[in-house]
Amino acid sequence: MTLLRSSARLRRAAVPLALCIGMTVALTACGGDEDPDAGTNGVGRLTPAGIEKKAKAAAESADAVRLSGTLVTDGQTYKLNMSLKEAGGTGSVSSKTGGTFELLRVEDELFLKADAAFWSHADGKGGDGGTDTPPSKADAEAAEKLGDKYVKVPEEDPAYKQLRGFTDKSVLLDGLLGLHGKRGKGDRAEIGGIRTIEVNGSEGAGGSLRVSLEGTPYPLQLARAGGAGTLTLTDWGKDFPLNAPAKGETVDYGSTLPST
């Protein structure tokens, strides 16, 4: 009799245990206990507008950032590699027609550095099918003096505001991080080993932004609307040296830059 009672108790205990194990296996097989946001900063659970808001707030609060990639504006494609912070910025800008030049801004002082070929470039007035006017002998000689020197850009020069924009963290980010159209969520992917989630406008036609799912939700990659360039944003919050060039490396050209 004791043996029978013991067997019955074992059977009663075994049935719920087996059911529990079976349910666990079923849930695992169906992926029911998998959470794509497990171990993340949680922004993936937010609405698309909420993700965008968090990313913009993180970008605004960061002391520094490095921005690299392509930017298309007014039909011109630029390649940027700039380190930016509130006090200024430094890096390089290049375009197919304008060549490559370096920019350095410390507070309100802006410097441009390029080789002699940049300064002696033809004036571009030939028009479609026309012939560009070659630089004069005097221009060529001046270009040699300016080559590989930091040329101070006068604040009165029309180019000052345009060039400064490439070195201004707030201006660049405010202008670049905006999406257009109805916001939506895209897929999850890794950028540089960091998990991200995409938020987009009009299913990508209005641009897309990849936001970090690890740590602070910084924007890590931006694809601009209309194919107007793709930019990668790295080194968030990492400071970098920013010093005005020595006098021996600087040329003060006067109130305006050379016409080229």
Side-chain angles (χ1 to χ4, degrees), residues 104-119:
L104 169 63
R105 181 175 65 85
V106 182
E107 299 297 348
D108 290 328
E109 287 193 313
L110 178 64
F111 302 90
L112 187 154
K113 183 179 180 181
D115 59 19
F118 173 87
W119 293 111

Side-chain angles (χ1 to χ4, degrees), residues 2 11 13 22 28 30 49 71 77 85-86 90 95 99-100 116 118 183 204 209-210 215 229 233 243 249 251 256-257:
T2 301
R11 283 197 301 274
T28 302
C30 295
L71 176 65
T77 299
K85 58 183 178 180
E86 293 305 319
T90 181
S95 68
T100 299
F118 173 87
R183 306 303 194 263
L209 196 63
R210 286 212 161 272
L233 302 99
N243 302 303
E249 300 176 330
V251 175
T256 59
L257 289 175

Side-chain angles (χ1 to χ4, degrees), residues 46-201:
L46 301 178
T47 63
I51 298 172
E52 183 183 16
K53 184 177 179 180
K54 285 279 190 181
K56 285 186 175 181
E60 290 173 1
S61 65
D63 294 329
V65 64
R66 182 179 178 185
L67 188 151
S68 59
T70 59
L71 176 65
V72 182
T73 179
D74 295 331
Q76 181 80 281
T77 299
Y78 297 94
K79 289 185 179 180
L80 278 67
N81 188 357
M82 299 295 300
S83 293
L84 310 168
K85 58 183 178 180
E86 293 305 319
T90 181
S92 64
V93 180
S94 65
S95 68
K96 186 176 180 180
T97 57
T100 299
F101 55 91
E102 296 178 28
L103 287 174
L104 169 63
R105 181 175 65 85
V106 182
E107 299 297 348
D108 290 328
E109 287 193 313
L110 178 64
F111 302 90
L112 187 154
K113 183 179 180 181
D115 59 19
F118 173 87
W119 293 111
S120 62
H121 194 276
D123 64 10
K125 295 179 181 178
D128 294 337
T131 302
D132 290 339
T133 304
S136 65
K137 182 179 179 181
D139 288 340
E141 290 174 352
E144 287 296 329
K145 294 178 181 179
L146 298 176
D148 296 323
K149 294 280 189 178
Y150 284 99
V151 179
K152 189 173 182 179
V153 183
E155 293 187 41
E156 301 82 10
D157 192 288
Y160 179 88
K161 186 177 180 180
Q162 296 173 326
L163 294 173
R164 181 188 170 115
F166 286 116
T167 68
D168 194 311
K169 173 179 174 286
S170 297
V171 169
L172 270 179
L173 293 184
D174 287 347
L176 294 175
L177 293 182
L179 301 175
H180 306 283
K182 184 179 180 181
R183 306 303 194 263
K185 285 185 187 180
D187 60 351
R188 297 163 188 263
E190 287 192 2
I191 295 179
I194 299 174
R195 289 176 290 174
T196 68
I197 186 167
E198 180 191 84
V199 58
N200 57 56

